[in-house]
Amino acid sequence: MSELIIEGSRRLEGEIKLQGAKNSILPILASCIMCKGECIIHNCPNISDVDATIKILNHLGCKTNFENGTIIIDSSEVFKSTIPEFLMREMRSSIIFLGSLISTMGSAKLSLPGGCEIGPRPIDLHLDGLRQMGLTINESHGILKCTAKSKLRGCNISLSFPSVGATENLILAAVLAKGTTVITNAAKEPEIMDLINFLNKCGAKIKCFEGSTIIINGVSSLHSAEHTVMPDRIVAITYMSAAAVTAGSIILRNISEDIISSAVPIFEEAGCIIKFSNSDSLKIDCPSRPYFNRLIRTMPYPGFPTDAQPPVMAMTTIADGRSMFVENIFPNRYKHVGELLRLGADIKVEDKVAIVDGVKRLSGAKVKATDLRGAAALVVAGLAAEGITTITGLNYLDRGYEKIEENLISIGANVKRT
Ligand code: UD1
C-alpha cells in the first residue's frame, strides 16, 4: 500500500499549471460515444477516474489514445450496450454512460455505480427523468436494464434538486431524442456548461436560460469535434488552501477567474491577497497565519462547492478564529474530520454542521483517506503540520489529482510517495 509522506511547515512558493477538470472530462468522454468520427479532447488530466472512463469506452468498442494530455476517441464501432460491474464500481460518474448509451444504442445494461463513500448517492432523479422520456427501466439485484422501444421523446422535466449527474444524463439522453426537452431546476455547474459547449460543437442544440432552465432540441446525429477541457476549480482551491496554511505565495496558471469566484472571498477574508492576470493566471499571497471567523454553507453552483469543503476546512484548522461549516449537499461528508483530529485539529461535528476552532499548530501523524476530497484535506493539513504526516488511501487522491506530489515539490514542499 503506498503512502504519501509529508514533512510539513514549509513555505510554498512558485508556480503550478492547473490540470483540466475531472468533473468536466468524465461526462465529455461519455458523450463521445454519441459522436460519429474522431473526437479530440485536450487538457485531459491524467487521473485514475479518466483511466476508468477510458476502460469503459474501450469495452464499448471505442478506440482511444491518450497522450500528452490529449485523448482521441474514435467511436465509429461502438457495439456494446452493457457495462460490467467491475467497471461500473470504479467510480460514481460511470452512471453518466446511461444517457449516452440509450441515445446511441437504444438500450443499456449496467450495475449501480460505485464511488467515494460520502453518503447515500441515489440515482432516482436520473431514472425518473429518463422514464418521463419513454425509457423502460427494470432494476433488480443492483442491475439496471434499460430499453427504449423507439427513440426517446423530449418532454418537460422538473428536477426536485439540481443534481449534477442527473442534469448531465438527461442532457445526453435528450440531445438525440425526438422533439424538445426542457429541464427546469437544472444544475448549472461550470462543468455542465463545458459539456454543453462540447455537445453544441458536435451539432447538438442546447440552450441555457436565466435561472436554471436548459432547453435541448433533439437532433438526428452528432458529429465529432475538438475541445479543450476547462480548468479544475476544486484542484485550484486545494492548492490555494495549501498556500494559505504555509504562508505561501503561489501562482496558478491555466485558470479562469469566473470558475472560482465563489471561493475567492473566502481566501480574501482569511487575509490572502489574490490577483488575476493575463486572464489565465492567479496569484495568491498568504499571511503568516490565516484569519477565519465565518460560516460556510455548501450549495449547488454558484454557491460554495461541496467538493471544496474538505480542503478549505483543513485550512481553517490552523486559522485564527472559529468557523462553522454546513454541508448541504452530502450530509456524511465529514469523514476527514476524524483524521484531522489526529493531527491536532479542534473540530466538533453534529449532523451536517461542523465547528472548527483554529489551533496554532497541527502536528504530523499517520492518517488515512477515505474519499477523494477528504484525501486533499489531509494533504493540506499535512503541509501545515509540524513533523511528518503519513497519508494512506492514496487511491482516492489519485482519482482526481494529477501529479500532486510533483506539483507540491516544485513549489517547495517536502513530499514523497513510497
Ligand atoms: C457531482 C460531482 C461531485 C460533486 C457533486 C455535487 C461529478 C463527476 N461529480 O456528483 O464531484 O460533489 O456533483 O456538486 O461531476 N441526489 C439524489 N438523487 C439523484 C441524484 C442525486 O438524491 O438521483 C442527491 C445526492 O445524494 C446528493 C445530491 O443530490 O446528496 C447531489 O448529488 P449530485 O449533484 O447528483 O452529485 P453527483 O452528480 O453524484
Side-chain angles (χ1 to χ4, degrees), residues 386-406:
E386 287 175 358
I388 305 286
T389 296
T390 306
I391 306 174
T392 54
L394 300 186
N395 53 317
Y396 293 104
L397 191 65
D398 296 339
R399 289 191 43 209
Y401 290 84
E402 178 182 63
K403 295 190 204 155
I404 188 160
E405 51 275 34
E406 242 176 78

PDB file of all heavy atoms in Angstrom, residues 386-406:
ATOM      1  N   GLU A 386       3.482  20.355  11.847  1.00  0.00           N
ATOM      2  CA  GLU A 386       4.898  20.221  12.197  1.00  0.00           C
ATOM      3  C   GLU A 386       5.236  18.739  12.209  1.00  0.00           C
ATOM      4  O   GLU A 386       4.444  17.923  12.698  1.00  0.00           O
ATOM      5  CB  GLU A 386       5.149  20.820  13.580  1.00  0.00           C
ATOM      6  CG  GLU A 386       5.078  22.331  13.528  1.00  0.00           C
ATOM      7  CD  GLU A 386       5.188  22.979  14.898  1.00  0.00           C
ATOM      8  OE1 GLU A 386       5.281  22.249  15.905  1.00  0.00           O
ATOM      9  OE2 GLU A 386       5.165  24.207  14.948  1.00  0.00           O
ATOM     10  N   GLY A 387       6.390  18.389  11.682  1.00  0.00           N
ATOM     11  CA  GLY A 387       6.802  16.981  11.679  1.00  0.00           C
ATOM     12  C   GLY A 387       6.246  16.233  10.478  1.00  0.00           C
ATOM     13  O   GLY A 387       5.865  16.822   9.468  1.00  0.00           O
ATOM     14  N   ILE A 388       6.202  14.906  10.632  1.00  0.00           N
ATOM     15  CA  ILE A 388       5.893  14.033   9.488  1.00  0.00           C
ATOM     16  C   ILE A 388       4.446  13.561   9.531  1.00  0.00           C
ATOM     17  O   ILE A 388       3.980  13.039  10.539  1.00  0.00           O
ATOM     18  CB  ILE A 388       6.799  12.772   9.510  1.00  0.00           C
ATOM     19  CG1 ILE A 388       8.283  13.161   9.563  1.00  0.00           C
ATOM     20  CG2 ILE A 388       6.498  11.842   8.341  1.00  0.00           C
ATOM     21  CD1 ILE A 388       8.840  13.693   8.267  1.00  0.00           C
ATOM     22  N   THR A 389       3.751  13.737   8.418  1.00  0.00           N
ATOM     23  CA  THR A 389       2.397  13.187   8.262  1.00  0.00           C
ATOM     24  C   THR A 389       2.461  12.098   7.200  1.00  0.00           C
ATOM     25  O   THR A 389       3.038  12.308   6.124  1.00  0.00           O
ATOM     26  CB  THR A 389       1.406  14.293   7.825  1.00  0.00           C
ATOM     27  OG1 THR A 389       1.341  15.260   8.873  1.00  0.00           O
ATOM     28  CG2 THR A 389       0.014  13.734   7.568  1.00  0.00           C
ATOM     29  N   THR A 390       1.883  10.956   7.502  1.00  0.00           N
ATOM     30  CA  THR A 390       1.869   9.845   6.541  1.00  0.00           C
ATOM     31  C   THR A 390       0.417   9.576   6.163  1.00  0.00           C
ATOM     32  O   THR A 390      -0.413   9.302   7.029  1.00  0.00           O
ATOM     33  CB  THR A 390       2.479   8.582   7.188  1.00  0.00           C
ATOM     34  OG1 THR A 390       3.767   8.940   7.687  1.00  0.00           O
ATOM     35  CG2 THR A 390       2.629   7.454   6.199  1.00  0.00           C
ATOM     36  N   ILE A 391       0.145   9.671   4.876  1.00  0.00           N
ATOM     37  CA  ILE A 391      -1.249   9.506   4.414  1.00  0.00           C
ATOM     38  C   ILE A 391      -1.369   8.212   3.613  1.00  0.00           C
ATOM     39  O   ILE A 391      -0.616   7.995   2.658  1.00  0.00           O
ATOM     40  CB  ILE A 391      -1.682  10.689   3.521  1.00  0.00           C
ATOM     41  CG1 ILE A 391      -1.442  12.023   4.237  1.00  0.00           C
ATOM     42  CG2 ILE A 391      -3.145  10.564   3.107  1.00  0.00           C
ATOM     43  CD1 ILE A 391      -1.709  13.250   3.377  1.00  0.00           C
ATOM     44  N   THR A 392      -2.323   7.368   3.991  1.00  0.00           N
ATOM     45  CA  THR A 392      -2.647   6.181   3.179  1.00  0.00           C
ATOM     46  C   THR A 392      -4.014   6.413   2.526  1.00  0.00           C
ATOM     47  O   THR A 392      -4.669   7.413   2.794  1.00  0.00           O
ATOM     48  CB  THR A 392      -2.669   4.902   4.032  1.00  0.00           C
ATOM     49  OG1 THR A 392      -3.559   5.121   5.133  1.00  0.00           O
ATOM     50  CG2 THR A 392      -1.295   4.530   4.544  1.00  0.00           C
ATOM     51  N   GLY A 393      -4.394   5.470   1.669  1.00  0.00           N
ATOM     52  CA  GLY A 393      -5.674   5.647   0.940  1.00  0.00           C
ATOM     53  C   GLY A 393      -5.456   6.528  -0.280  1.00  0.00           C
ATOM     54  O   GLY A 393      -6.331   7.290  -0.682  1.00  0.00           O
ATOM     55  N   LEU A 394      -4.252   6.416  -0.876  1.00  0.00           N
ATOM     56  CA  LEU A 394      -3.916   7.324  -1.981  1.00  0.00           C
ATOM     57  C   LEU A 394      -4.712   7.039  -3.252  1.00  0.00           C
ATOM     58  O   LEU A 394      -4.747   7.859  -4.165  1.00  0.00           O
ATOM     59  CB  LEU A 394      -2.413   7.253  -2.286  1.00  0.00           C
ATOM     60  CG  LEU A 394      -1.495   7.638  -1.129  1.00  0.00           C
ATOM     61  CD1 LEU A 394      -0.051   7.677  -1.594  1.00  0.00           C
ATOM     62  CD2 LEU A 394      -1.885   8.997  -0.533  1.00  0.00           C
ATOM     63  N   ASN A 395      -5.331   5.840  -3.301  1.00  0.00           N
ATOM     64  CA  ASN A 395      -6.174   5.550  -4.472  1.00  0.00           C
ATOM     65  C   ASN A 395      -7.273   6.604  -4.608  1.00  0.00           C
ATOM     66  O   ASN A 395      -7.701   6.928  -5.716  1.00  0.00           O
ATOM     67  CB  ASN A 395      -6.775   4.139  -4.378  1.00  0.00           C
ATOM     68  CG  ASN A 395      -7.497   3.909  -3.073  1.00  0.00           C
ATOM     69  OD1 ASN A 395      -6.997   4.301  -2.004  1.00  0.00           O
ATOM     70  ND2 ASN A 395      -8.663   3.294  -3.110  1.00  0.00           N
ATOM     71  N   TYR A 396      -7.725   7.169  -3.479  1.00  0.00           N
ATOM     72  CA  TYR A 396      -8.748   8.222  -3.547  1.00  0.00           C
ATOM     73  C   TYR A 396      -8.155   9.514  -4.102  1.00  0.00           C
ATOM     74  O   TYR A 396      -8.752  10.166  -4.963  1.00  0.00           O
ATOM     75  CB  TYR A 396      -9.353   8.470  -2.161  1.00  0.00           C
ATOM     76  CG  TYR A 396     -10.153   7.289  -1.676  1.00  0.00           C
ATOM     77  CD1 TYR A 396      -9.648   6.429  -0.704  1.00  0.00           C
ATOM     78  CD2 TYR A 396     -11.395   7.007  -2.221  1.00  0.00           C
ATOM     79  CE1 TYR A 396     -10.375   5.328  -0.279  1.00  0.00           C
ATOM     80  CE2 TYR A 396     -12.125   5.900  -1.800  1.00  0.00           C
ATOM     81  CZ  TYR A 396     -11.621   5.077  -0.837  1.00  0.00           C
ATOM     82  OH  TYR A 396     -12.337   3.996  -0.423  1.00  0.00           O
ATOM     83  N   LEU A 397      -6.981   9.865  -3.607  1.00  0.00           N
ATOM     84  CA  LEU A 397      -6.319  11.085  -4.081  1.00  0.00           C
ATOM     85  C   LEU A 397      -6.081  11.008  -5.597  1.00  0.00           C
ATOM     86  O   LEU A 397      -6.292  11.973  -6.330  1.00  0.00           O
ATOM     87  CB  LEU A 397      -4.984  11.233  -3.340  1.00  0.00           C
ATOM     88  CG  LEU A 397      -4.250  12.547  -3.485  1.00  0.00           C
ATOM     89  CD1 LEU A 397      -5.057  13.687  -2.866  1.00  0.00           C
ATOM     90  CD2 LEU A 397      -2.878  12.484  -2.812  1.00  0.00           C
ATOM     91  N   ASP A 398      -5.657   9.827  -6.041  1.00  0.00           N
ATOM     92  CA  ASP A 398      -5.298   9.660  -7.448  1.00  0.00           C
ATOM     93  C   ASP A 398      -6.509   9.678  -8.376  1.00  0.00           C
ATOM     94  O   ASP A 398      -6.366   9.774  -9.591  1.00  0.00           O
ATOM     95  CB  ASP A 398      -4.517   8.342  -7.636  1.00  0.00           C
ATOM     96  CG  ASP A 398      -3.191   8.380  -6.895  1.00  0.00           C
ATOM     97  OD1 ASP A 398      -2.715   9.503  -6.599  1.00  0.00           O
ATOM     98  OD2 ASP A 398      -2.635   7.300  -6.601  1.00  0.00           O
ATOM     99  N   ARG A 399      -7.694   9.595  -7.801  1.00  0.00           N
ATOM    100  CA  ARG A 399      -8.897   9.688  -8.641  1.00  0.00           C
ATOM    101  C   ARG A 399      -9.029  11.080  -9.252  1.00  0.00           C
ATOM    102  O   ARG A 399      -9.634  11.222 -10.310  1.00  0.00           O
ATOM    103  CB  ARG A 399     -10.155   9.398  -7.804  1.00  0.00           C
ATOM    104  CG  ARG A 399     -10.292   7.943  -7.404  1.00  0.00           C
ATOM    105  CD  ARG A 399     -11.660   7.679  -6.817  1.00  0.00           C
ATOM    106  NE  ARG A 399     -12.635   8.366  -7.632  1.00  0.00           N
ATOM    107  CZ  ARG A 399     -13.792   8.836  -7.216  1.00  0.00           C
ATOM    108  NH1 ARG A 399     -14.148   8.698  -5.972  1.00  0.00           N
ATOM    109  NH2 ARG A 399     -14.614   9.441  -8.037  1.00  0.00           N
ATOM    110  N   GLY A 400      -8.481  12.089  -8.550  1.00  0.00           N
ATOM    111  CA  GLY A 400      -8.756  13.446  -9.032  1.00  0.00           C
ATOM    112  C   GLY A 400      -7.569  14.380  -9.133  1.00  0.00           C
ATOM    113  O   GLY A 400      -7.717  15.481  -9.662  1.00  0.00           O
ATOM    114  N   TYR A 401      -6.401  13.989  -8.592  1.00  0.00           N
ATOM    115  CA  TYR A 401      -5.263  14.921  -8.585  1.00  0.00           C
ATOM    116  C   TYR A 401      -4.136  14.363  -9.441  1.00  0.00           C
ATOM    117  O   TYR A 401      -3.604  13.284  -9.165  1.00  0.00           O
ATOM    118  CB  TYR A 401      -4.775  15.181  -7.152  1.00  0.00           C
ATOM    119  CG  TYR A 401      -5.789  16.001  -6.381  1.00  0.00           C
ATOM    120  CD1 TYR A 401      -6.884  15.396  -5.753  1.00  0.00           C
ATOM    121  CD2 TYR A 401      -5.682  17.391  -6.324  1.00  0.00           C
ATOM    122  CE1 TYR A 401      -7.833  16.149  -5.080  1.00  0.00           C
ATOM    123  CE2 TYR A 401      -6.628  18.150  -5.650  1.00  0.00           C
ATOM    124  CZ  TYR A 401      -7.698  17.532  -5.036  1.00  0.00           C
ATOM    125  OH  TYR A 401      -8.640  18.278  -4.383  1.00  0.00           O
ATOM    126  N   GLU A 402      -3.780  15.141 -10.458  1.00  0.00           N
ATOM    127  CA  GLU A 402      -2.699  14.737 -11.361  1.00  0.00           C
ATOM    128  C   GLU A 402      -1.374  15.228 -10.789  1.00  0.00           C
ATOM    129  O   GLU A 402      -1.276  16.402 -10.402  1.00  0.00           O
ATOM    130  CB  GLU A 402      -2.954  15.379 -12.727  1.00  0.00           C
ATOM    131  CG  GLU A 402      -1.911  15.103 -13.763  1.00  0.00           C
ATOM    132  CD  GLU A 402      -2.226  15.812 -15.084  1.00  0.00           C
ATOM    133  OE1 GLU A 402      -2.268  17.061 -15.103  1.00  0.00           O
ATOM    134  OE2 GLU A 402      -2.447  15.126 -16.070  1.00  0.00           O
ATOM    135  N   LYS A 403      -0.402  14.365 -10.724  1.00  0.00           N
ATOM    136  CA  LYS A 403       0.978  14.729 -10.329  1.00  0.00           C
ATOM    137  C   LYS A 403       1.005  15.598  -9.084  1.00  0.00           C
ATOM    138  O   LYS A 403       1.698  16.627  -9.054  1.00  0.00           O
ATOM    139  CB  LYS A 403       1.634  15.542 -11.446  1.00  0.00           C
ATOM    140  CG  LYS A 403       1.856  14.840 -12.729  1.00  0.00           C
ATOM    141  CD  LYS A 403       2.737  15.752 -13.580  1.00  0.00           C
ATOM    142  CE  LYS A 403       2.599  15.493 -15.050  1.00  0.00           C
ATOM    143  NZ  LYS A 403       2.924  16.632 -15.868  1.00  0.00           N
ATOM    144  N   ILE A 404       0.255  15.234  -8.051  1.00  0.00           N
ATOM    145  CA  ILE A 404       0.147  16.162  -6.918  1.00  0.00           C
ATOM    146  C   ILE A 404       1.488  16.314  -6.202  1.00  0.00           C
ATOM    147  O   ILE A 404       1.886  17.418  -5.840  1.00  0.00           O
ATOM    148  CB  ILE A 404      -1.006  15.790  -5.960  1.00  0.00           C
ATOM    149  CG1 ILE A 404      -1.181  16.901  -4.913  1.00  0.00           C
ATOM    150  CG2 ILE A 404      -0.831  14.420  -5.307  1.00  0.00           C
ATOM    151  CD1 ILE A 404      -2.515  16.912  -4.222  1.00  0.00           C
ATOM    152  N   GLU A 405       2.235  15.191  -6.039  1.00  0.00           N
ATOM    153  CA  GLU A 405       3.491  15.390  -5.309  1.00  0.00           C
ATOM    154  C   GLU A 405       4.510  16.153  -6.140  1.00  0.00           C
ATOM    155  O   GLU A 405       5.207  17.017  -5.620  1.00  0.00           O
ATOM    156  CB  GLU A 405       4.056  14.109  -4.681  1.00  0.00           C
ATOM    157  CG  GLU A 405       4.231  12.881  -5.485  1.00  0.00           C
ATOM    158  CD  GLU A 405       3.033  11.985  -5.635  1.00  0.00           C
ATOM    159  OE1 GLU A 405       1.888  12.464  -5.696  1.00  0.00           O
ATOM    160  OE2 GLU A 405       3.241  10.776  -5.746  1.00  0.00           O
ATOM    161  N   GLU A 406       4.523  15.888  -7.459  1.00  0.00           N
ATOM    162  CA  GLU A 406       5.438  16.641  -8.330  1.00  0.00           C
ATOM    163  C   GLU A 406       5.149  18.145  -8.231  1.00  0.00           C
ATOM    164  O   GLU A 406       6.053  18.967  -8.100  1.00  0.00           O
ATOM    165  CB  GLU A 406       5.189  16.225  -9.776  1.00  0.00           C
ATOM    166  CG  GLU A 406       6.379  15.582 -10.447  1.00  0.00           C
ATOM    167  CD  GLU A 406       5.993  15.137 -11.834  1.00  0.00           C
ATOM    168  OE1 GLU A 406       5.922  15.975 -12.737  1.00  0.00           O
ATOM    169  OE2 GLU A 406       5.751  13.914 -12.000  1.00  0.00           O
TER     170      GLU A 406
END
